[in-house]
Amino acid sequence: MDFAKLDNDIKEMRRRNRGLGLSVGGLITALLACLVIILNLIGTERTIVVPPSIDKTFWVTKDRASHEYLEQMGSFIAWLILDVTPTSIDWKKDVLLNYVAPDQHGAMKSRQEVEAERLKHINASTSFLPQQLVANETNQSVVVRGRLRTQVNGQETALETKAYLAEFQYMGGRIHLKSFKEYHNE
């Protein structure tokens, strides 16, 4: 038996073991660093969702949307509800109901069906020109101010400045309309 060769083989094995130990230690350190980064990111994610039309940049977190997003959605909802004709109201009602909160769906559907019947019966149309959008991120609402024009049989019957409050709730990765009503606190 060659003692020198045996000694060199043992030294070589110890060097390999030290190298493997350092590699495992480096991998453990990298794994712990990744774990710390992942834990810091939990709860800070922002999901990007797309409103019907994109005019500004915005952000959305797990339970809130930015005021830019609320403004765009408020303007879109006002267009669906207030800018209608006897021929377009049924289509806009169906689109609107896709954005209504589940617990408000029945009430909003009934309200829009009554309004559709009224517009068709008197052959009226309304158009709304938004002039100001004031969003409130805390309440997830937006006040839409503008001019509401009403025509019956092609004759203008009213041109008024009005304000409407659209309240939203963000859940399940989507924004839902809770309520849309005339706003009198100016």
Side-chain angles (χ1 to χ4, degrees):
M1 178 186 238
D2 188 8
F3 184 72
K5 185 172 182 200
L6 182 63
D7 193 39
N8 283 337
D9 286 345
I10 290 174
K11 286 180 183 178
E12 180 64 29
M13 288 175 72
R14 286 182 181 156
R15 262 194 308 263
R16 283 186 192 169
N17 284 345
R18 272 195 302 271
L20 290 173
L22 288 174
S23 296
V24 169
L27 289 172
I28 289 172
T29 303
L31 186 61
L32 289 175
C34 287
L35 182 63
V36 167
I37 290 170
I38 289 171
L39 290 176
N40 283 333
L41 289 177
I42 291 177
T44 61
E45 76 228 22
R46 286 188 176 179
T47 305
I48 305 300
V49 291
V50 180
S53 66
I54 300 173
D55 299 326
K56 301 176 186 176
T57 59
F58 55 86
W59 55 261
V60 176
T61 60
K62 65 180 178 178
D63 59 349
R64 294 173 38 128
S66 70
H67 73 278
E68 292 90 356
Y69 186 78
L70 292 171
E71 287 175 357
Q72 291 179 54
M73 285 303 295
S75 176
F76 177 67
I77 296 297
W79 175 74
L80 287 175
I81 294 175
L82 302 172
D83 203 9
V84 291
T85 65
T87 56
S88 71
I89 192 162
D90 289 326
W91 175 80
K92 287 189 174 186
K93 173 190 64 147
D94 292 338
V95 173
L96 174 69
L97 292 175
N98 291 325
Y99 292 94
V100 174
D103 60 338
Q104 298 297 317
H105 192 272
M108 184 64 76
K109 183 176 180 181
S110 298
R111 174 181 156 190
Q112 290 304 102
E113 287 174 349
V114 167
E115 183 65 15
E117 280 301 313
R118 186 183 74 81
L119 283 180
K120 289 175 184 177
H121 181 71
I122 64 173
N123 192 29
S125 63
T126 61
S127 61
F128 185 74
L129 177 64
Q131 296 174 326
Q132 183 183 25
L133 299 163
V134 181
N136 183 335
E137 279 183 36
T138 306
N139 296 336
Q140 294 291 281
S141 64
V142 62
V143 174
V144 182
R145 288 186 175 87
R147 299 187 62 80
L148 181 66
R149 179 181 184 191
T150 306
Q151 291 183 326
V152 177
N153 289 323
Q155 299 295 317
E156 186 172 309
T157 59
L159 181 61
E160 305 169 299
T161 300
K162 294 206 174 218
Y164 295 90
L165 175 66
E167 295 178 303
F168 298 98
Q169 73 185 73
Y170 190 80
M171 65 181 191
R174 286 190 60 192
I175 196 156
H176 298 278
L177 179 67
K178 283 192 336 189
S179 69
F180 186 86
K181 56 191 171 195
E182 193 167 346
Y183 184 71
H184 298 288
N185 187 9
E186 298 194 36

